[in-house]
C-alpha cells in the first residue's frame, strides 16, 4: 500500500496501463510535453514517447473521433477532455459513434475507449469548467460512466475501464484531485464497473451520492448522528451506468428512507433515475418521500456565489432530519 492523492492514483493507473499493453495510448490537449492541465499525465510522454502519448489540437471532436478509429483498429486509447463542460463538441463521436459501434456492427466491432474528463464545482473555475453533465451520458446506451470519489477507487476504476471492451466515460472530480490522501495498492487491481459501495453502514436513512458529493454525504451523516442520533447508510454509487440498483434496493429495504445528493442540476439528473428505480423496486419499503439535494436549475454560477449553489453539509443534514422525522 502507498498513500497518494486522487491525481497521483490516476497518473499511476495510466502509467501501469501503458506499461502492460502496447495497444494503450493517451491523447489529448497538452497531455504530452506539459503533462496535462492538472499534471495527470506528467512525464508519460518522456517515458513512452510521442507516438503513445500524443498532444492533439484543441478539438474535442477530433480527439474522440481519432480515439474511435484507433479503437476499432485494435488500439485501446485513453482520450482526455480537459474539462467535462467542453465535451459537447464531441457528443456525436461519443453518443453517435463510440457507444453504438457494437450494436451497429452486430458485435463485429467494439470501441474500447476510455474518455477522461475532470469536472465539478468548488474550485473557482470559469463558465463551462465545473458543469456536472453525467446525466446526458446515462441516457446513452452502450456507454459506461464511472466516477471515483477517492484515490483507491480512482486507480481501480481506471484500470478496469482500460480493460473494458466497450467505451467508458471516466469522470474525475476536480475538487478531490488533491483534497486528501488514501491508501492505494501498488499492484494492478480493478474496481468492478457497475458495483456501488456502502461507505458507512446504517439503519435509519440511506444517503446516496457519487463523485464530489460523497465526502459531503459522509460528513452530513456523521453530523446527523451526533445531532439527532440518526443512523445513516452512505452509498457511493461509483458507476452511473450501469447502475447498481440491487445495492440501493437492499439498503432502502432496511432503512425505508432515502436522500440523494448530486452537484448536477435537479431536473432530469441522475438522482431522478435513482428515485425512479427505487420507486419501482422498493416502493413498499419506503416510510417517507425520497428527497434530493442537488444543484439548482440554472447554468453553473460564477465563483463568487458557487458555494450557495452547491449541495452543502447543512443542506444534506436538514434533508436527513426531515425524512427521518417523517
Amino acid at each position: 500500500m502507498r498513500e497518494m492523492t486522487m491525481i497521483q492514483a490516476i497518473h499511476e493507473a495510466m502509467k501501469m496501463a501503458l506499461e502492460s499493453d502496447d495497444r494503450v495510448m493517451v491523447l489529448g490537449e497538452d497531455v504530452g510535453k506539459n503533462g496535462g492541465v492538472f499534471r495527470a499525465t506528467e512525464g508519460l510522454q518522456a517515458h513512452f514517447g510521442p507516438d503513445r502519448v500524443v498532444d492533439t489540437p484543441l478539438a474535442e471532436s477530433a480527439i474522440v473521433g481519432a480515439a474511435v478509429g484507433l479503437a476499432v483498429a485494435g488500439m485501446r486509447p485513453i482520450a482526455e477532455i480537459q474539462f467535462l463542460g467542453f465535451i459537447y463538441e464531441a457528443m456525436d463521436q461519443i453518443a453517435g459513434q463510440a457507444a453504438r459501434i457494437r450494436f451497429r456492427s452486430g458485435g463485429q466491432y467494439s470501441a474500447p475507449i476510455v474518455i477522461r474528463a475532470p469536472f465539478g464545482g468548488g474550485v473557482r473555475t470559469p463558465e463551462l469548467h465545473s458543469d456536472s453533465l453525467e446525466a446526458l451520458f446515462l441516457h446513452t446506451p452502450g456507454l459506461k460512466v464511472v466516477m471515483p470519489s477517492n484515490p483507491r477507487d480512482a486507480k481501480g476504476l481506471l484500470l478496469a475501464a482500460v480493460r473494458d471492451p466497450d467505451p467508458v466515460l471516466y469522470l474525475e472530480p476536480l475538487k478531490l484531485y488533491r483534497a486528501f490522501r488514501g491508501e492505494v495498492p501498488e499492484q494492478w487491481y480493478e474496481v468492478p464497473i457497475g458495483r456501488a459501495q456502502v461507505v458507512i453502514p446504517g439503519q435509519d436513512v440511506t444517503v446516496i451520492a457519487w463523485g464530489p458529493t460523497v465526502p459531503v454525504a459522509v460528513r452530513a451523516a456523521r453530523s446527523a448522528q451526533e445531532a439527532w442520533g440518526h443512523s445513516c447508510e452512505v452509498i457511493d454509487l461509483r458507476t452511473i451506468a450501469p447502475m447498481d440498483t440491487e445495492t440501493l434496493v437492499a439498503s432502502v429495504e432496511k432503512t425505508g428512507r432515502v436522500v440523494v445528493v448530486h452537484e448536477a442540476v435537479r431536473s432530469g439528473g441522475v438522482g431522478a433515475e435513482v428515485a425512479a428505480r427505487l420507486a419501482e423496486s422498493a416502493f413498499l419499503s419506503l416510510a417517507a418521500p425520497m428527497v434530493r439535494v442537488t444543484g439548482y436549475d440554472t447554468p453553473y454560477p460564477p465563483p463568487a456565489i458557487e458555494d450557495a449553489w452547491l449541495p452543502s453539509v447543512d443542506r444534506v443534514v436538514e434533508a436527513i432530519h426531515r425524512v427521518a422525522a417523517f
Side-chain angles (χ1 to χ4, degrees), residues 223-250:
S223 295
Q225 176 78 51
E226 293 172 3
W228 294 294
H230 302 320
S231 172
C232 297
E233 181 151 291
V234 178
I235 297 177
D236 180 354
L237 205 54
R238 296 200 294 194
T239 301
I240 305 302
M243 191 178 294
D244 183 2
T245 307
E246 184 178 345
T247 294
L248 304 182
V249 169

PDB file of all heavy atoms in Angstrom, residues 223-250:
ATOM      1  N   SER A 223     -22.696  14.204  11.108  1.00  0.00           N
ATOM      2  CA  SER A 223     -23.317  15.327  11.820  1.00  0.00           C
ATOM      3  C   SER A 223     -24.733  14.975  12.260  1.00  0.00           C
ATOM      4  O   SER A 223     -25.150  15.325  13.381  1.00  0.00           O
ATOM      5  CB  SER A 223     -23.349  16.569  10.921  1.00  0.00           C
ATOM      6  OG  SER A 223     -22.044  17.030  10.628  1.00  0.00           O
ATOM      7  N   ALA A 224     -25.488  14.288  11.389  1.00  0.00           N
ATOM      8  CA  ALA A 224     -26.851  13.900  11.746  1.00  0.00           C
ATOM      9  C   ALA A 224     -26.857  12.880  12.887  1.00  0.00           C
ATOM     10  O   ALA A 224     -27.760  12.891  13.739  1.00  0.00           O
ATOM     11  CB  ALA A 224     -27.560  13.322  10.523  1.00  0.00           C
ATOM     12  N   GLN A 225     -25.868  12.015  12.915  1.00  0.00           N
ATOM     13  CA  GLN A 225     -25.731  11.051  14.005  1.00  0.00           C
ATOM     14  C   GLN A 225     -25.457  11.781  15.325  1.00  0.00           C
ATOM     15  O   GLN A 225     -26.064  11.481  16.358  1.00  0.00           O
ATOM     16  CB  GLN A 225     -24.603  10.073  13.701  1.00  0.00           C
ATOM     17  CG  GLN A 225     -24.288   9.076  14.815  1.00  0.00           C
ATOM     18  CD  GLN A 225     -25.268   7.931  14.872  1.00  0.00           C
ATOM     19  OE1 GLN A 225     -25.535   7.293  13.855  1.00  0.00           O
ATOM     20  NE2 GLN A 225     -25.800   7.659  16.043  1.00  0.00           N
ATOM     21  N   GLU A 226     -24.544  12.730  15.283  1.00  0.00           N
ATOM     22  CA  GLU A 226     -24.185  13.466  16.502  1.00  0.00           C
ATOM     23  C   GLU A 226     -25.330  14.352  16.988  1.00  0.00           C
ATOM     24  O   GLU A 226     -25.576  14.456  18.198  1.00  0.00           O
ATOM     25  CB  GLU A 226     -22.947  14.327  16.235  1.00  0.00           C
ATOM     26  CG  GLU A 226     -21.678  13.518  15.986  1.00  0.00           C
ATOM     27  CD  GLU A 226     -20.517  14.394  15.535  1.00  0.00           C
ATOM     28  OE1 GLU A 226     -20.701  15.633  15.473  1.00  0.00           O
ATOM     29  OE2 GLU A 226     -19.438  13.834  15.247  1.00  0.00           O
ATOM     30  N   ALA A 227     -26.046  14.987  16.063  1.00  0.00           N
ATOM     31  CA  ALA A 227     -27.076  15.949  16.454  1.00  0.00           C
ATOM     32  C   ALA A 227     -28.375  15.281  16.892  1.00  0.00           C
ATOM     33  O   ALA A 227     -28.995  15.704  17.879  1.00  0.00           O
ATOM     34  CB  ALA A 227     -27.340  16.912  15.298  1.00  0.00           C
ATOM     35  N   TRP A 228     -28.802  14.260  16.159  1.00  0.00           N
ATOM     36  CA  TRP A 228     -30.117  13.663  16.417  1.00  0.00           C
ATOM     37  C   TRP A 228     -30.092  12.147  16.606  1.00  0.00           C
ATOM     38  O   TRP A 228     -31.130  11.536  16.858  1.00  0.00           O
ATOM     39  CB  TRP A 228     -31.075  13.999  15.270  1.00  0.00           C
ATOM     40  CG  TRP A 228     -31.394  15.453  15.182  1.00  0.00           C
ATOM     41  CD1 TRP A 228     -32.079  16.209  16.092  1.00  0.00           C
ATOM     42  CD2 TRP A 228     -31.048  16.337  14.116  1.00  0.00           C
ATOM     43  NE1 TRP A 228     -32.182  17.497  15.665  1.00  0.00           N
ATOM     44  CE2 TRP A 228     -31.566  17.623  14.449  1.00  0.00           C
ATOM     45  CE3 TRP A 228     -30.376  16.182  12.914  1.00  0.00           C
ATOM     46  CZ2 TRP A 228     -31.415  18.722  13.628  1.00  0.00           C
ATOM     47  CZ3 TRP A 228     -30.218  17.282  12.096  1.00  0.00           C
ATOM     48  CH2 TRP A 228     -30.732  18.537  12.447  1.00  0.00           C
ATOM     49  N   GLY A 229     -28.957  11.531  16.431  1.00  0.00           N
ATOM     50  CA  GLY A 229     -28.883  10.089  16.585  1.00  0.00           C
ATOM     51  C   GLY A 229     -29.357   9.309  15.379  1.00  0.00           C
ATOM     52  O   GLY A 229     -29.577   8.094  15.478  1.00  0.00           O
ATOM     53  N   HIS A 230     -29.485   9.973  14.227  1.00  0.00           N
ATOM     54  CA  HIS A 230     -29.922   9.275  13.014  1.00  0.00           C
ATOM     55  C   HIS A 230     -28.769   8.412  12.482  1.00  0.00           C
ATOM     56  O   HIS A 230     -27.671   8.917  12.220  1.00  0.00           O
ATOM     57  CB  HIS A 230     -30.345  10.259  11.926  1.00  0.00           C
ATOM     58  CG  HIS A 230     -31.443  11.181  12.346  1.00  0.00           C
ATOM     59  ND1 HIS A 230     -32.516  10.776  13.113  1.00  0.00           N
ATOM     60  CD2 HIS A 230     -31.641  12.510  12.099  1.00  0.00           C
ATOM     61  CE1 HIS A 230     -33.327  11.799  13.307  1.00  0.00           C
ATOM     62  NE2 HIS A 230     -32.812  12.863  12.714  1.00  0.00           N
ATOM     63  N   SER A 231     -29.021   7.135  12.293  1.00  0.00           N
ATOM     64  CA  SER A 231     -28.020   6.214  11.750  1.00  0.00           C
ATOM     65  C   SER A 231     -28.158   6.173  10.233  1.00  0.00           C
ATOM     66  O   SER A 231     -29.140   5.631   9.704  1.00  0.00           O
ATOM     67  CB  SER A 231     -28.221   4.815  12.349  1.00  0.00           C
ATOM     68  OG  SER A 231     -27.378   3.878  11.707  1.00  0.00           O
ATOM     69  N   CYS A 232     -27.192   6.747   9.539  1.00  0.00           N
ATOM     70  CA  CYS A 232     -27.271   6.871   8.075  1.00  0.00           C
ATOM     71  C   CYS A 232     -26.375   5.857   7.386  1.00  0.00           C
ATOM     72  O   CYS A 232     -25.210   5.684   7.763  1.00  0.00           O
ATOM     73  CB  CYS A 232     -26.862   8.271   7.634  1.00  0.00           C
ATOM     74  SG  CYS A 232     -27.936   9.576   8.256  1.00  0.00           S
ATOM     75  N   GLU A 233     -26.919   5.223   6.362  1.00  0.00           N
ATOM     76  CA  GLU A 233     -26.117   4.360   5.495  1.00  0.00           C
ATOM     77  C   GLU A 233     -25.741   5.167   4.254  1.00  0.00           C
ATOM     78  O   GLU A 233     -26.618   5.556   3.486  1.00  0.00           O
ATOM     79  CB  GLU A 233     -26.893   3.101   5.105  1.00  0.00           C
ATOM     80  CG  GLU A 233     -26.096   2.161   4.218  1.00  0.00           C
ATOM     81  CD  GLU A 233     -26.500   0.712   4.404  1.00  0.00           C
ATOM     82  OE1 GLU A 233     -26.209   0.167   5.491  1.00  0.00           O
ATOM     83  OE2 GLU A 233     -27.119   0.144   3.486  1.00  0.00           O
ATOM     84  N   VAL A 234     -24.460   5.421   4.076  1.00  0.00           N
ATOM     85  CA  VAL A 234     -23.985   6.209   2.935  1.00  0.00           C
ATOM     86  C   VAL A 234     -23.508   5.265   1.845  1.00  0.00           C
ATOM     87  O   VAL A 234     -22.664   4.392   2.092  1.00  0.00           O
ATOM     88  CB  VAL A 234     -22.850   7.166   3.346  1.00  0.00           C
ATOM     89  CG1 VAL A 234     -22.338   7.933   2.122  1.00  0.00           C
ATOM     90  CG2 VAL A 234     -23.324   8.133   4.425  1.00  0.00           C
ATOM     91  N   ILE A 235     -24.035   5.444   0.637  1.00  0.00           N
ATOM     92  CA  ILE A 235     -23.665   4.619  -0.510  1.00  0.00           C
ATOM     93  C   ILE A 235     -23.012   5.486  -1.577  1.00  0.00           C
ATOM     94  O   ILE A 235     -23.562   6.510  -1.975  1.00  0.00           O
ATOM     95  CB  ILE A 235     -24.888   3.890  -1.100  1.00  0.00           C
ATOM     96  CG1 ILE A 235     -25.474   2.919  -0.071  1.00  0.00           C
ATOM     97  CG2 ILE A 235     -24.515   3.148  -2.387  1.00  0.00           C
ATOM     98  CD1 ILE A 235     -26.725   2.200  -0.544  1.00  0.00           C
ATOM     99  N   ASP A 236     -21.836   5.077  -2.005  1.00  0.00           N
ATOM    100  CA  ASP A 236     -21.135   5.704  -3.125  1.00  0.00           C
ATOM    101  C   ASP A 236     -21.507   4.923  -4.378  1.00  0.00           C
ATOM    102  O   ASP A 236     -21.125   3.759  -4.541  1.00  0.00           O
ATOM    103  CB  ASP A 236     -19.633   5.654  -2.867  1.00  0.00           C
ATOM    104  CG  ASP A 236     -18.812   6.299  -3.991  1.00  0.00           C
ATOM    105  OD1 ASP A 236     -19.398   6.682  -5.022  1.00  0.00           O
ATOM    106  OD2 ASP A 236     -17.578   6.398  -3.830  1.00  0.00           O
ATOM    107  N   LEU A 237     -22.245   5.558  -5.258  1.00  0.00           N
ATOM    108  CA  LEU A 237     -22.718   4.857  -6.461  1.00  0.00           C
ATOM    109  C   LEU A 237     -21.560   4.378  -7.336  1.00  0.00           C
ATOM    110  O   LEU A 237     -21.622   3.314  -7.930  1.00  0.00           O
ATOM    111  CB  LEU A 237     -23.640   5.787  -7.246  1.00  0.00           C
ATOM    112  CG  LEU A 237     -24.688   5.164  -8.160  1.00  0.00           C
ATOM    113  CD1 LEU A 237     -25.557   4.164  -7.432  1.00  0.00           C
ATOM    114  CD2 LEU A 237     -25.549   6.258  -8.779  1.00  0.00           C
ATOM    115  N   ARG A 238     -20.512   5.156  -7.436  1.00  0.00           N
ATOM    116  CA  ARG A 238     -19.281   4.862  -8.189  1.00  0.00           C
ATOM    117  C   ARG A 238     -19.503   4.720  -9.687  1.00  0.00           C
ATOM    118  O   ARG A 238     -18.758   5.272 -10.495  1.00  0.00           O
ATOM    119  CB  ARG A 238     -18.577   3.601  -7.661  1.00  0.00           C
ATOM    120  CG  ARG A 238     -18.080   3.733  -6.252  1.00  0.00           C
ATOM    121  CD  ARG A 238     -17.009   2.712  -5.916  1.00  0.00           C
ATOM    122  NE  ARG A 238     -17.482   1.341  -5.915  1.00  0.00           N
ATOM    123  CZ  ARG A 238     -16.791   0.331  -5.397  1.00  0.00           C
ATOM    124  NH1 ARG A 238     -15.601   0.545  -4.848  1.00  0.00           N
ATOM    125  NH2 ARG A 238     -17.276  -0.892  -5.425  1.00  0.00           N
ATOM    126  N   THR A 239     -20.498   3.958 -10.098  1.00  0.00           N
ATOM    127  CA  THR A 239     -20.823   3.785 -11.518  1.00  0.00           C
ATOM    128  C   THR A 239     -22.224   4.321 -11.777  1.00  0.00           C
ATOM    129  O   THR A 239     -23.185   3.869 -11.151  1.00  0.00           O
ATOM    130  CB  THR A 239     -20.748   2.310 -11.931  1.00  0.00           C
ATOM    131  OG1 THR A 239     -19.437   1.802 -11.690  1.00  0.00           O
ATOM    132  CG2 THR A 239     -21.075   2.138 -13.407  1.00  0.00           C
ATOM    133  N   ILE A 240     -22.327   5.262 -12.703  1.00  0.00           N
ATOM    134  CA  ILE A 240     -23.629   5.811 -13.079  1.00  0.00           C
ATOM    135  C   ILE A 240     -24.331   4.878 -14.065  1.00  0.00           C
ATOM    136  O   ILE A 240     -25.527   4.670 -14.003  1.00  0.00           O
ATOM    137  CB  ILE A 240     -23.452   7.212 -13.712  1.00  0.00           C
ATOM    138  CG1 ILE A 240     -22.690   8.145 -12.773  1.00  0.00           C
ATOM    139  CG2 ILE A 240     -24.797   7.815 -14.089  1.00  0.00           C
ATOM    140  CD1 ILE A 240     -23.322   8.329 -11.419  1.00  0.00           C
ATOM    141  N   ALA A 241     -23.564   4.318 -14.989  1.00  0.00           N
ATOM    142  CA  ALA A 241     -24.115   3.370 -15.964  1.00  0.00           C
ATOM    143  C   ALA A 241     -23.066   2.295 -16.232  1.00  0.00           C
ATOM    144  O   ALA A 241     -21.942   2.632 -16.604  1.00  0.00           O
ATOM    145  CB  ALA A 241     -24.475   4.089 -17.276  1.00  0.00           C
ATOM    146  N   PRO A 242     -23.411   1.025 -15.992  1.00  0.00           N
ATOM    147  CA  PRO A 242     -24.684   0.515 -15.472  1.00  0.00           C
ATOM    148  C   PRO A 242     -24.824   0.751 -13.968  1.00  0.00           C
ATOM    149  O   PRO A 242     -23.839   0.641 -13.232  1.00  0.00           O
ATOM    150  CB  PRO A 242     -24.602  -0.988 -15.777  1.00  0.00           C
ATOM    151  CG  PRO A 242     -23.132  -1.290 -15.740  1.00  0.00           C
ATOM    152  CD  PRO A 242     -22.452  -0.072 -16.292  1.00  0.00           C
ATOM    153  N   MET A 243     -26.020   1.071 -13.525  1.00  0.00           N
ATOM    154  CA  MET A 243     -26.261   1.424 -12.133  1.00  0.00           C
ATOM    155  C   MET A 243     -26.510   0.170 -11.299  1.00  0.00           C
ATOM    156  O   MET A 243     -27.194  -0.759 -11.735  1.00  0.00           O
ATOM    157  CB  MET A 243     -27.464   2.363 -12.048  1.00  0.00           C
ATOM    158  CG  MET A 243     -27.657   3.004 -10.682  1.00  0.00           C
ATOM    159  SD  MET A 243     -29.058   4.154 -10.681  1.00  0.00           S
ATOM    160  CE  MET A 243     -28.462   5.441 -11.786  1.00  0.00           C
ATOM    161  N   ASP A 244     -25.952   0.157 -10.099  1.00  0.00           N
ATOM    162  CA  ASP A 244     -26.090  -0.981  -9.186  1.00  0.00           C
ATOM    163  C   ASP A 244     -27.389  -0.829  -8.388  1.00  0.00           C
ATOM    164  O   ASP A 244     -27.384  -0.488  -7.205  1.00  0.00           O
ATOM    165  CB  ASP A 244     -24.877  -1.048  -8.264  1.00  0.00           C
ATOM    166  CG  ASP A 244     -24.897  -2.249  -7.329  1.00  0.00           C
ATOM    167  OD1 ASP A 244     -25.842  -3.067  -7.413  1.00  0.00           O
ATOM    168  OD2 ASP A 244     -23.976  -2.362  -6.496  1.00  0.00           O
ATOM    169  N   THR A 245     -28.508  -1.108  -9.032  1.00  0.00           N
ATOM    170  CA  THR A 245     -29.813  -0.975  -8.382  1.00  0.00           C
ATOM    171  C   THR A 245     -29.951  -1.945  -7.215  1.00  0.00           C
ATOM    172  O   THR A 245     -30.580  -1.620  -6.193  1.00  0.00           O
ATOM    173  CB  THR A 245     -30.934  -1.214  -9.406  1.00  0.00           C
ATOM    174  OG1 THR A 245     -30.728  -0.361 -10.544  1.00  0.00           O
ATOM    175  CG2 THR A 245     -32.300  -0.923  -8.811  1.00  0.00           C
ATOM    176  N   GLU A 246     -29.369  -3.110  -7.319  1.00  0.00           N
ATOM    177  CA  GLU A 246     -29.507  -4.135  -6.278  1.00  0.00           C
ATOM    178  C   GLU A 246     -29.011  -3.640  -4.921  1.00  0.00           C
ATOM    179  O   GLU A 246     -29.669  -3.829  -3.891  1.00  0.00           O
ATOM    180  CB  GLU A 246     -28.737  -5.393  -6.692  1.00  0.00           C
ATOM    181  CG  GLU A 246     -28.882  -6.549  -5.729  1.00  0.00           C
ATOM    182  CD  GLU A 246     -28.146  -7.790  -6.195  1.00  0.00           C
ATOM    183  OE1 GLU A 246     -27.771  -7.847  -7.378  1.00  0.00           O
ATOM    184  OE2 GLU A 246     -27.953  -8.700  -5.373  1.00  0.00           O
ATOM    185  N   THR A 247     -27.840  -2.995  -4.907  1.00  0.00           N
ATOM    186  CA  THR A 247     -27.300  -2.482  -3.640  1.00  0.00           C
ATOM    187  C   THR A 247     -28.188  -1.388  -3.073  1.00  0.00           C
ATOM    188  O   THR A 247     -28.413  -1.314  -1.854  1.00  0.00           O
ATOM    189  CB  THR A 247     -25.869  -1.962  -3.858  1.00  0.00           C
ATOM    190  OG1 THR A 247     -25.018  -3.059  -4.192  1.00  0.00           O
ATOM    191  CG2 THR A 247     -25.326  -1.291  -2.609  1.00  0.00           C
ATOM    192  N   LEU A 248     -28.712  -0.523  -3.934  1.00  0.00           N
ATOM    193  CA  LEU A 248     -29.586   0.551  -3.478  1.00  0.00           C
ATOM    194  C   LEU A 248     -30.873  -0.008  -2.872  1.00  0.00           C
ATOM    195  O   LEU A 248     -31.310   0.424  -1.794  1.00  0.00           O
ATOM    196  CB  LEU A 248     -29.922   1.487  -4.643  1.00  0.00           C
ATOM    197  CG  LEU A 248     -28.751   2.124  -5.385  1.00  0.00           C
ATOM    198  CD1 LEU A 248     -29.265   3.063  -6.471  1.00  0.00           C
ATOM    199  CD2 LEU A 248     -27.833   2.866  -4.434  1.00  0.00           C
ATOM    200  N   VAL A 249     -31.475  -0.963  -3.544  1.00  0.00           N
ATOM    201  CA  VAL A 249     -32.726  -1.550  -3.061  1.00  0.00           C
ATOM    202  C   VAL A 249     -32.506  -2.258  -1.722  1.00  0.00           C
ATOM    203  O   VAL A 249     -33.317  -2.123  -0.792  1.00  0.00           O
ATOM    204  CB  VAL A 249     -33.308  -2.520  -4.110  1.00  0.00           C
ATOM    205  CG1 VAL A 249     -34.458  -3.336  -3.516  1.00  0.00           C
ATOM    206  CG2 VAL A 249     -33.789  -1.745  -5.337  1.00  0.00           C
ATOM    207  N   ALA A 250     -31.424  -2.994  -1.596  1.00  0.00           N
ATOM    208  CA  ALA A 250     -31.140  -3.705  -0.352  1.00  0.00           C
ATOM    209  C   ALA A 250     -31.034  -2.734   0.819  1.00  0.00           C
ATOM    210  O   ALA A 250     -31.500  -3.008   1.930  1.00  0.00           O
ATOM    211  CB  ALA A 250     -29.855  -4.509  -0.491  1.00  0.00           C
TER     212      ALA A 250
END
